[in-house]
Amino acid sequence: MSQPKVSILMGSDSDADRLMGCFEQLESLGIPFEARVRSAHRTPEALVVYLAEAEAKGIQVFLCAAGGAAHLAGVVASHTLKPVIGIPMDNPPLGGLDALLATVQMPAGIPVPTVAVGGGGPINAALTAARILALADPQLAEKLVLFRQSMADKVAAKDAKLQARLA
Ligand code: RP5
C-alpha cells in the first residue's frame, strides 16, 4: 500500500460523515491519505506527537476539520511548515460561523487557507491538496485536467437537458 501523502485530521468522529466527499475526492484522484481523530483541545499532546510521526512518514499536506471553537487547523499550522487547509464544520447551534471564524482568522505568520463551511468545502479541501501535490506530480496534474473536463461535460449535458425541456 502507498504511503499516505495527505492527512485528514478531525476534532471528533462526529465530523467524519461530513468528510466523506473529501475522502472520495482523494480516492478518485488516486491520492493516498489517512484520516485520524485528534483534538486541539481534548488531546493536545497526542496531536503534537502525531504531527511529528506524520511528517516523518512523508505526509505533505494536512487537512484539518473541526467544529465549534475550531482551533485544530491553526494549532497544526503552528507545529508544521507543510501546507495546512482548514475545513470549518457546520455544527449546531451556530451553523459553522463559529468554526469558520476560528479557522480563517489566523494571526499573520501562521497561515490557514480555509475552505467553505459545509457543502463543497471538504471536496475543495481535497482538490486544493491535489493541486499542491500536482506541482511535483505530472500524472496527478493530468488527472486534474481530466476532472475539470468531466465537470465541464456535465454542465454541457445539463444545459442540453434544459434546452430540450424548454423546447
Ligand atoms: C470539535 O468539537 C470537533 O471537531 C467537533 O466538530 C465538535 C464536537 O465534537 P463532539 O462533541 O461531537 O465529540 O472539536
Side-chain angles (χ1 to χ4, degrees):
M1 197 165 124
S2 318
Q3 280 291 94
K5 290 189 178 154
V6 175
S7 168
I8 303 153
L9 292 172
M10 62 199 85
S12 172
D13 63 344
S14 63
D15 301 317
D17 285 350
R18 288 166 289 159
L19 294 171
M20 288 311 292
C22 181
F23 304 150
E24 287 164 7
Q25 189 66 62
L26 290 169
E27 265 165 19
S28 77
L29 291 167
I31 297 172
F33 66 90
E34 66 179 22
R36 306 296 295 269
V37 177
R38 290 289 186 279
S39 167
H41 302 125
R42 292 167 172 163
T43 63
E45 293 89 0
L47 174 60
V48 173
V49 169
Y50 169 75
L51 292 175
E53 289 169 1
E55 290 217 36
K57 69 181 170 188
I59 294 291
Q60 298 295 304
V61 184
F62 292 94
L63 309 183
C64 297
H71 294 115
L72 182 59
V75 170
V76 171
S78 74
H79 284 282
T80 182
L81 290 173
K82 302 286 188 229
V84 176
I85 300 160
I87 309 175
M89 302 305 293
D90 53 350
N91 291 7
L94 301 184
L97 182 58
D98 44 0
L100 172 63
L101 297 178
T103 304
V104 79
Q105 287 294 106
M106 290 298 293
I110 308 293
V112 176
T114 301
V115 295
V117 178
I123 292 171
N124 282 343
L127 288 168
T128 305
R131 288 184 179 201
I132 292 167
L133 295 172
L135 291 171
D137 183 340
Q139 281 186 326
L140 179 56
E142 183 57 27
K143 286 182 190 172
L144 286 173
V145 170
L146 295 175
F147 170 75
R148 180 136 72 179
Q149 186 56 51
S150 79
M151 270 193 309
D153 292 346
K154 281 180 195 156
V155 172
K158 286 177 184 177
D159 181 59
K161 202 169 153 190
L162 177 65
Q163 299 314 310
R165 201 170 137 197
L166 298 177

